[in-house]
Amino acid sequence: MLAVLLLPEFSELEAALLLEAARRLGLSAYTVAKGRKGTPALAGSVWTPTYAFPAAPPPRALLIPGARRPARMAQDPTYLDFLAAHWEGLEAVFLGYNAHLFLAEAGRLPSPVAAGAEVGEALRAQGYALLARPFARTGKVYGTAGGLALLSAFADWVGKKVAL
């Protein structure tokens, strides 16, 4: 089961990409956010999450799409509690274009990590080692450059090519 964590002003492209990939592979997927009210996305849409944190079933994998100011959300104890409650049971965590900053602020970003150029520079300044690849797995965390690199990372995890 794939959970897509909707941070405020998340990338709907990244969220939709893996939701569709999961659907095509017959995997269960859902969206989750702090509350059940609509969550605004970067391109102006508003998504109503399937679950609020307390009611979300335990996922096997978690996608954190890129978002505006993702590190700020990791300062909210509610987000940290959700992450802590599910972290040990997760097989994979997929990071969108700048979601690395959320996981770094939460103290759960491994090093080395793959990231896009702009995010990579911010991570390098924080002492993280970077891998020059579109995606790479370190432990359970798939760092990616975002966008279509998420699809490649997801295909790596499921062990199947994902045709969209």
Side-chain angles (χ1 to χ4, degrees), residues 94-120:
F94 301 95
L95 302 177
Y97 78 96
N98 69 350
H100 311 66
L101 302 174
F102 173 82
L103 222 52
E105 182 71 23
R108 295 187 182 269
L109 184 67
S111 185
V113 65
E118 183 179 316
V119 175

Side-chain angles (χ1 to χ4, degrees), residues 1-7 10-11 14-15 17-19 21-22 25 27-30 59-67 70 82-83 87 89-104 108-110 113-115 134-160 162:
M1 183 173 305
L2 171 70
V4 178
L5 177 59
L6 303 181
L7 299 175
F10 68 96
S11 168
E14 292 180 343
L17 185 65
L18 284 202
L19 286 170
L25 292 172
L27 301 174
S28 298
Y30 63 86
R60 286 180 47 215
L62 177 68
L63 164 63
I64 307 171
F82 172 79
L83 201 56
W87 189 258
L90 290 171
E91 294 175 18
V93 178
F94 301 95
L95 302 177
Y97 78 96
N98 69 350
H100 311 66
L101 302 174
F102 173 82
L103 222 52
R108 295 187 182 269
L109 184 67
V113 65
F135 79 89
R137 183 176 187 167
T138 302
K140 65 176 78 181
V141 176
Y142 278 92
T144 78
L148 292 176
L150 279 169
L151 189 59
S152 298
F154 190 69
D156 181 76
W157 178 63
V158 298
K160 296 178 183 177
V162 182

Side-chain angles (χ1 to χ4, degrees), residues 25-50:
L25 292 172
L27 301 174
S28 298
Y30 63 86
T31 54
V32 62
K34 187 174 179 178
R36 283 269 300 134
K37 66 180 182 174
T39 302
L42 280 172
S45 66
V46 177
W47 290 29
T48 301
T50 310

